[in-house]
Amino acid sequence: MTSALFPRSTNRLRSTAYRLVGSLVTSVALSLGIGAAQAQLYVPLQSSGQENFKFPITVADFTGPNGKEIADIVAADLTRSGEFEVNRVEAVTSDSAGTPNWDAINALQIATPLAYGSSTGTTVNYGLVDPTQQSTIESKSVTGSNLRRQAHRVADAIYENQTGVRGIFSTRVAYVAGNQLYVADADGQGAQVVASSNSSIISPKWSPDGQKLAYVSFETGKPVVYVQNLATGGRTVAANFHGNNSAPAWSPDGSQLAVALSRSGLSNIFLISANGGDSARQITDSPEIDTEPYFFPNGSGIIFTSDRGGSPQIYRAGLGGGGASRITFNGSQNVSGAISPDGLKLVNSSMRGGAYSIALTNLGGGGDQLLTRGPNDLSPSFSANGVQILYVSGSNLALVNVDGTNQQIIPTSSGSISSAAWGPFVD
């Protein structure tokens, strides 16, 4: 079967297809021309029909400088998770020891856990209490100069306390809009340009420590893999071998990159040093196109996209070479796979009925589940806690929970988005 992503008639056409697959059929996504939402409004997409229990919680305005803004961010974070039913109330005062005014709380008739606090500008003191028992569930202080980060960390603490799972609101996302690479908060706000090019940028990938981004730029006339240091602003060339260099993926320890190289003709997967250099160890050896590698979290092997079976599907292989086994079977095309942080699930973009949708596969068996319905849902990646998935819907950032609920558009002000990646936990 001829593949729209992997034309099979000539090597020339196949090379062109390889250039495109790293951006997850970016041209298709961009042709929709859907502008990103400008306001801080989370737009629900179609529902899967599932209804989940939601944790009830009340968030009070914090006292002190920017206290209401902090509480608004905390409430928005918890709401965006899809796991909380959030109620907002006016500020609750507390004494010098941080004990809240129980009489004021009782007057508000709050029966859910209550988050409240105060801000000094550099420190946010937050408390979570049980109004029915007049007892403290948790209290913490968050320091720093970035108000939004302080608020996200408070939301992380509430989320973990109530769900038992670490929160991801203080993590960051990377995405490409036009010829620029952006980094933003997990809610899409506070975006900053970290790399620009005079040509296309594709395939951003976070280093495990969250300090660097690998990406591909066509600025020299062919795809070259670069590594951008977010702290210093400097960048290095990671892969500029003969032919195409694309689809970088970080090893779990951050020392290596798996990349797709066409140095000997068609594209295969190689291991290179994350610091660059001339050494490259070949992992796959196929007469067809192998691209889009992704490491298992324990470093035991990789997954990758290949058309060796006649259409692009996702395979797994060890790092020592040898055979590869196919792991996607539903859908005419399956591309851009990513493995969950616990190593148990695969997410990818799957062509079903002419539409690219986000699919989730349990690697232990049990088949796959479509989380979205397309028509152009691309570039998926897991949140650091494995609970949500970031992807590009048309030309917008979007997310969905791993059970298929809580589909939302994440607002940005950066224009048409072509690819994205969710960053790791950073302490």
Side-chain angles (χ1 to χ4, degrees), residues 28 79 116 150 194 217 242 307 312 320 364 374 403-404 416:
V28 176
T79 299
Y116 75 103
Q150 289 175 322
V194 297
S217 174
H242 174 76
D307 70 342
D403 61 1
S416 184

Side-chain angles (χ1 to χ4, degrees), residues 64-78:
N66 303 304
K68 185 179 184 304
E69 182 180 356
I70 291 170
D72 285 342
I73 295 170
V74 170
D77 283 348
L78 297 175

Side-chain angles (χ1 to χ4, degrees), residues 112-252:
T112 70
L114 168 69
Y116 75 103
S118 62
S119 169
T120 66
T122 58
T123 300
V124 174
N125 297 303
Y126 126 84
L128 185 65
V129 297
D130 179 355
T132 62
Q133 300 295 320
Q134 294 194 0
S135 62
T136 298
I137 300 171
E138 178 179 71
S139 62
K140 288 186 176 181
S141 293
V142 176
T143 59
S145 58
N146 187 307
L147 179 147
R148 293 190 58 82
R149 180 163 178 80
Q150 289 175 322
H152 291 320
R153 289 177 64 189
V154 169
D156 284 341
I158 296 171
Y159 183 93
E160 184 169 4
N161 179 276
Q162 293 292 287
T163 69
V165 177
R166 186 173 178 181
I168 42 75
F169 307 117
S170 59
T171 61
R172 296 183 293 175
V173 298
Y175 60 87
V176 175
N179 296 338
Q180 294 182 309
L181 176 61
Y182 291 81
V183 168
D185 291 353
D187 58 3
Q189 303 302 302
Q192 295 183 325
V193 176
V194 297
S196 296
S197 174
N198 59 11
S199 189
S200 297
I201 290 177
I202 60 174
S203 306
K205 295 294 187 299
W206 288 90
S207 63
D209 62 5
Q211 301 303 307
K212 299 175 182 178
L213 280 167
Y215 66 96
V216 177
S217 174
F218 288 78
E219 64 199 63
T220 65
K222 72 168 190 175
V224 174
V225 177
Y226 296 92
V227 170
Q228 186 80 28
N229 187 308
L230 299 179
T232 67
R235 74 169 185 175
T236 58
V237 175
N240 187 15
F241 296 94
H242 174 76
N244 294 326
N245 308 260
S246 196
W250 293 86
S251 63

